[in-house]
Amino acid sequence: MRLKCFLTIACLAAAAAAAAPAGAREPSARKVAKMMADCAYVVNVAEANGVRLSHTSDDWGQWLSRYAEANGFDAERQVETAKAKYRKRSRVLGADKALSDMIANARKCDQQLEAI
């Protein structure tokens, strides 16, 4: 039986580092918080569209809140920034393409956590 990481702050930082290209330096706390907020938002959208993932948007929201509190960030502001980013993408790419991208990104978030 494979031990599963229960997603402590260190595990989430490791997931962000694993997503970075080889040889890249470790991501900053702000970059990790941004990645987590993006995941919290896109997973929420994916769930609202019937996609089932291993980690829920509530999980992501809790992890983001803990990480943001530990690192002095406003978690809600991070999520609002992610929402604004995807709203802009929707205007530029069209709603269907933006939704399909969000669902693909939600699956990538899940895969990153499974890799650690």
Side-chain angles (χ1 to χ4, degrees), residues 2-3 8 12 18 20 22 41-42 46 51 57-58 67 69 72 76 78 81 103-104 109:
R2 186 176 125 186
L3 289 177
T8 63
L12 292 167
Y41 180 67
V42 297
V51 176
S57 59
D58 287 340
Y67 189 81
E69 185 178 314
E76 288 184 35
Q78 295 290 326
T81 300
I103 290 171
C109 291

Side-chain angles (χ1 to χ4, degrees), residues 1 3 17 19 33-34 43 69-70 82 90 92 96 99 106 109 112 116:
M1 179 170 138
L3 289 177
K34 179 185 174 305
V43 168
E69 185 178 314
S90 182
V92 172
D96 291 339
L99 176 60
C109 291
Q112 287 175 357
I116 55 174

Side-chain angles (χ1 to χ4, degrees), residues 23-98:
R25 63 178 184 233
E26 292 221 6
S28 68
R30 185 170 299 282
K31 185 130 179 129
V32 172
K34 179 185 174 305
M35 184 268 313
M36 290 171 65
D38 279 0
C39 286
Y41 180 67
V42 297
V43 168
N44 182 275
V45 170
E47 287 172 341
N49 284 279
V51 176
R52 292 183 155 260
L53 301 164
S54 299
H55 309 287
T56 67
S57 59
D58 287 340
D59 293 336
W60 280 104
Q62 289 173 10
W63 302 325
L64 173 60
S65 292
R66 282 189 230 134
Y67 189 81
E69 185 178 314
N71 289 282
F73 296 112
D74 180 356
E76 288 184 35
R77 185 169 183 210
Q78 295 290 326
V79 173
E80 288 303 317
T81 300
K83 283 180 184 180
K85 172 181 131 180
Y86 284 101
R87 274 190 225 117
K88 181 178 179 182
R89 288 176 59 92
S90 182
R91 285 191 305 271
V92 172
L93 300 175
D96 291 339
K97 174 66 175 149

